[in-house]
Amino acid sequence: MNNPLKIFKLVFTARSPKNTTGIKAVKDGFWLGKSYDAMMFFGYIVTHTQKDADYFNSHDSSMKRHETIHLLQARSTHNSWLCFYILYIWYYARAIGLNRRHKGAAYRLNPFEMEAYGHMHDPKYIEKCQLGANEWQTYAKMKPKERLKMSKS
């Protein structure tokens, strides 16, 4: 799936954030940065290799839970991938100035990532959040520098 045009197939066949059953992982390293293992893209988990995709499809893992939390977060943004991605980019952009002194801060301090990383090792969190994962909203009320201080403690 390394053809960039195939990603549009994922967008047009996007799963609703309401649907958390049978989340499918697909291989498409073109869209995925080398430093990332996977990413949630319109209801699909995108991986670098077919081996990684097969693993995600057949195992419950902390990374699969991390990506599933993003799906649940999209559910809490009006069941809209568009709202989720707009907010994700907004929070990333607000923290980008911290990247100069703290490598990767804009990513790590994104409220969506803070919630996903905070609960990816808890298998019961997905069950608790079937109506939507909302903890990100608490982080979103903080300024990026406040989230940075909190993450260091």
Side-chain angles (χ1 to χ4, degrees):
M1 186 133 169
N2 284 330
N3 181 342
L5 296 177
K6 289 187 179 181
I7 201 71
F8 292 108
K9 180 180 178 187
L10 293 180
V11 173
F12 290 114
T13 61
R15 301 166 58 88
S16 165
K18 293 178 186 178
N19 185 358
T20 57
T21 57
I23 297 170
K24 185 179 177 188
V26 295
K27 173 192 168 255
D28 193 342
F30 179 84
W31 294 97
L32 186 59
K34 291 178 183 175
S35 61
Y36 300 103
D37 294 326
M39 78 175 193
M40 177 60 68
F41 192 77
F42 289 95
Y44 293 92
I45 298 172
V46 178
T47 66
H48 287 285
T49 67
Q50 189 59 48
K51 181 180 176 183
D52 292 341
D54 292 342
Y55 183 83
F56 272 99
N57 289 329
S58 62
H59 292 83
D60 181 33
S61 67
S62 57
M63 280 307 297
K64 185 173 186 175
R65 285 191 293 273
H66 176 101
E67 300 305 333
T68 303
I69 290 168
H70 288 317
L71 183 138
L72 295 169
Q73 291 166 336
R75 191 178 281 178
S76 71
T77 57
H78 308 292
N79 279 320
S80 168
W81 286 113
L82 184 60
C83 286
F84 172 77
Y85 289 122
I86 289 170
L87 285 170
Y88 190 101
I89 292 167
W90 167 253
Y91 294 123
Y92 184 92
R94 285 190 62 206
I96 207 154
L98 295 173
N99 275 353
R100 285 187 217 113
R101 289 192 177 170
H102 308 279
K103 185 177 179 184
Y107 171 76
R108 283 191 334 275
L109 299 177
N110 187 306
F112 294 114
E113 294 300 340
M114 291 179 76
E115 179 180 17
Y117 278 110
H119 296 288
M120 66 192 266
H121 298 293
D122 179 3
K124 295 180 182 180
Y125 192 71
I126 303 294
E127 294 169 29
K128 285 190 267 185
C129 298
Q130 284 304 306
L131 297 176
N134 297 307
E135 187 176 297
W136 66 270
Q137 294 171 352
T138 302
Y139 299 124
K141 292 175 184 172
M142 301 175 182
K143 294 181 190 273
K145 287 185 179 182
E146 291 175 286
R147 293 193 301 265
L148 179 64
K149 285 180 189 176
M150 188 185 95
S151 72
K152 288 186 173 188
S153 57

